[in-house]
Amino acid sequence: MTDTTDAPVAAPVYSIPQERKIVTAIPGPKSQELHQRRVAVVPPGVSSALPVYIAKANGGILVDVDGNQFIDLGAGIGVTTVGHTESAVVAAAAAQLHDVVHTLFTITPYEEYVRVAELLAEHTPGDFAKRTVLVNSGAEAVENGVKIARKHTGRNGIAVLEHAYHGRTNLTMAMNYKAAPYSTGFGPFAGDVYRAPNSYPYHDGLSGTEAAARTINYLEKTVGASDLACLVVEPIQGEGGFVVPADGFLTALQEWCTSNGIVFIADEIQSGMARTGAYFASEHFGLVPDMVLSAKGIAGGLPLAGVTGRATIMDSAQPGGLGGTFGGNPVAAAAAIAVFEQIEKNSLLDEAKRIEQTLTAGLLELQEKYDIIGDVRGIGAMVAIELVEPGTGATTKTPHAEAVNAIAAYAAQRGVLVLTAGTYGNVLRFLPSLAVSDELLTDALSVIDEAFASLAS
């Protein structure tokens, strides 16, 4: 047998040239025609950031029905982490389609579900015995995590942090910090949800120890530790604007939870699955959560999510208390197994670190040129810039949402898809697939540079 231990990783082969190309107005005529069909049958509540209709995708490129090619810096909001239509993931899903498409694991189980649970037990932080339940979406993972924590503790209270986003179901809407557009008019909402201050270094200037003391004091005074079933945190907040907490903040919260019998839940739906250069962002902070929630990037674009936790906690639910018709579907599970394999085979943890270096360096250069860039932050392929009104970066830090929207629109017209975020809509977030090349990133940054320059013209 040939020893391939030190063999270099083969360069990926893409079915679509990895380049930006605009051949029509944006949106083009075919997209405009499709959009007219859409508005007749799809409600406006299902809105789109950019009304171009995608026909093909591969690697870090989206191709619309008019033949325009976009550099995708959003990855379906962190879903296609291993790249669009990654060949091994597609092959695994296709092979599974020929074998078993559905049986329902709670009726007649299958190996793929078990294998995903084994991989999550191996790769989530902590060397204790773990169990996993597979579901369909991030919000469903949050719901199940909370109900398992409630069952285990016999308590009702749920603690969350400011600027958090957890989903669009009734419970998760109550857990979100930002109401519009996610929950406006959709109440009443689930009760026993308590929102505590977060660590937001750019705005609060607190050390991790100071921020944690503030959070703990708030929860002890307004709820009482003995009434809390769980504290649910995003180690790096997603929709909140890629907020990276100060060192020591999360570990102090975890220690407080452990001392008070509160289940510490890490919502890693956006930050997990190699996104930050570790399998889960918790690793960067020395966290060992009682429960980890995964979704988005876990199955390469197919719907799958997981709740992985300490066996002593997960085993609290009675037989029949967990599950669902499509949870852990064999095709999605087969894709997830392939995603784990590709992370290792293609050294994607290192690729996330490469992307961080390229993006952060480029964005810091832009910050030197444009004083409305107040903050550059993030870890791995999860980087953001926060925009503030001119001259306020070192003082009031007034949010500048108009600039964010203008830059995103400018970039889209020139073939770069970038997402907005933040409680005040003043954050540009970059979460490309780990397949995106430095050449694509450099090209995209040049367009972002042009966008900033256009604001002053």
Side-chain angles (χ1 to χ4, degrees):
M1 181 179 293
T2 303
D3 184 4
T4 60
T5 302
D6 297 320
V9 176
V13 177
Y14 295 108
S15 61
I16 296 170
Q18 298 295 287
E19 61 186 19
R20 175 172 61 98
K21 183 174 68 174
I22 298 299
V23 297
T24 72
I26 303 298
K30 291 181 180 178
S31 278
Q32 292 182 45
E33 180 182 349
L34 270 169
H35 195 67
Q36 291 305 307
R37 291 169 54 190
R38 172 225 181 107
V39 297
V41 292
V42 179
V46 186
S47 59
S48 297
L50 182 63
V52 297
Y53 287 74
I54 303 305
K56 298 178 181 179
N58 188 231
I61 296 292
L62 298 171
V63 185
D64 72 8
V65 291
D66 292 286
N68 299 297
Q69 295 192 181
F70 297 82
I71 300 173
D72 183 11
L73 299 182
I77 312 189
V79 169
T80 56
T81 304
V82 297
H84 288 286
T85 60
E86 202 285 328
S87 58
V89 175
V90 171
Q96 185 61 45
L97 279 168
H98 287 284
D99 292 337
V100 178
V101 175
H102 177 79
T103 70
L104 180 50
F105 189 78
T106 57
I107 302 297
T108 50
Y110 38 87
E111 182 181 0
E112 291 74 21
Y113 189 118
V114 176
R115 183 58 185 145
V116 173
E118 289 173 339
L119 288 165
L120 284 168
E122 177 183 349
H123 292 292
T124 50
D127 59 2
F128 40 79
K130 301 170 190 170
R131 308 277 193 266
T132 291
V133 56
L134 297 179
V135 291
N136 302 295
S137 69
E140 194 176 344
V142 175
E143 292 257 0
N144 277 272
V146 168
K147 82 176 187 182
I148 293 167
R150 283 173 161 170
K151 179 73 172 180
H152 174 72
T153 61
R155 305 171 183 175
N156 296 325
I158 307 164
V160 294
L161 299 177
E162 290 176 345
H163 309 292
Y165 175 82
H166 296 291
R168 287 184 173 93
T169 58
N170 185 266
L171 174 60
T172 55
M173 283 191 294
M175 295 169 67
N176 293 343
Y177 181 76
K178 183 178 176 181
Y182 305 113
S183 60
T184 302
F186 293 147
F189 303 112
D192 288 315
V193 176
Y194 304 93
R195 187 169 295 107
N198 187 30
S199 170
Y200 198 150
Y202 177 60
H203 284 281
D204 62 35
L206 299 177
S207 69
T209 301
E210 293 167 337
R214 180 181 62 174
T215 302
I216 291 167
N217 180 66
Y218 180 88
L219 290 172
E220 288 181 339
K221 293 294 186 291
T222 61
V223 191
S226 62
D227 284 339
L228 284 176
C230 57
L231 170 62
V232 185
V233 305
E234 300 163 274
I236 301 173
Q237 292 185 322
E239 171 63 18
F242 287 12
V243 179
V244 181
D247 290 343
F249 174 73
L250 293 175
T251 50
L253 293 187
Q254 181 180 14
E255 290 169 4
W256 177 74
C257 285
T258 300
S259 296
N260 289 279
I262 301 164
V263 179
F264 186 94
I265 302 177
D267 179 342
E268 294 255 25
I269 289 160
Q270 189 164 154
S271 61
M273 293 305 298
R275 168 61 53 188
T276 64
Y279 268 96
F280 292 92
S282 294
E283 298 171 54
H284 294 291
F285 305 102
L287 284 177
V288 182
D290 297 311
M291 194 181 291
V292 174
L293 312 179
S294 53
K296 287 190 180 289
I298 193 172
L302 277 71
L304 188 71
V307 181
T308 304
R310 294 179 182 272
T312 52
I313 296 173
M314 300 295 291
D315 289 351
S316 301
Q318 67 275 15
L322 303 175
T325 300
F326 295 105
N329 170 269
V331 179
I337 295 166
V339 166
F340 276 100
E341 291 171 350
Q342 293 312 298
I343 290 172
E344 294 296 329
K345 180 180 179 182
N346 296 324
S347 302
L348 293 186
L349 300 182
D350 290 334
E351 292 301 291
K353 296 170 188 175
R354 169 188 60 81
I355 290 167
E356 177 186 353
Q357 292 175 350
T358 302
L359 269 180
T360 301
L363 293 171
L364 287 172
E365 287 183 11
L366 294 181
Q367 188 180 34
E368 291 289 326
K369 295 173 65 174
Y370 306 107
D371 67 351
I372 66 172
I373 301 178
D375 193 28
V376 178
R377 56 178 180 258
I379 302 176
M382 192 174 186
V383 181
I385 53 177
E386 182 166 346
L387 304 191
V388 294
E389 293 287 349
T392 69
T395 54
T396 62
K397 303 176 182 177
T398 305
H400 197 351
E402 295 81 4
V404 164
N405 293 331
I407 289 166
Y410 183 101
Q413 291 296 315
R414 288 151 184 83
V416 176
L417 179 60
V418 62
L419 303 177
T420 63
T423 297
Y424 307 104
N426 67 320
V427 175
L428 282 169
R429 56 177 162 170
F430 304 84
L431 62 165
S433 81
L434 305 185
V436 72
S437 66
D438 281 347
E439 290 76 16
L440 284 179
L441 291 174
T442 300
D443 186 22
L445 285 167
S446 72
V447 172
I448 300 298
D449 190 356
E450 293 172 8
F452 275 101
S454 73
L455 294 177
S457 63

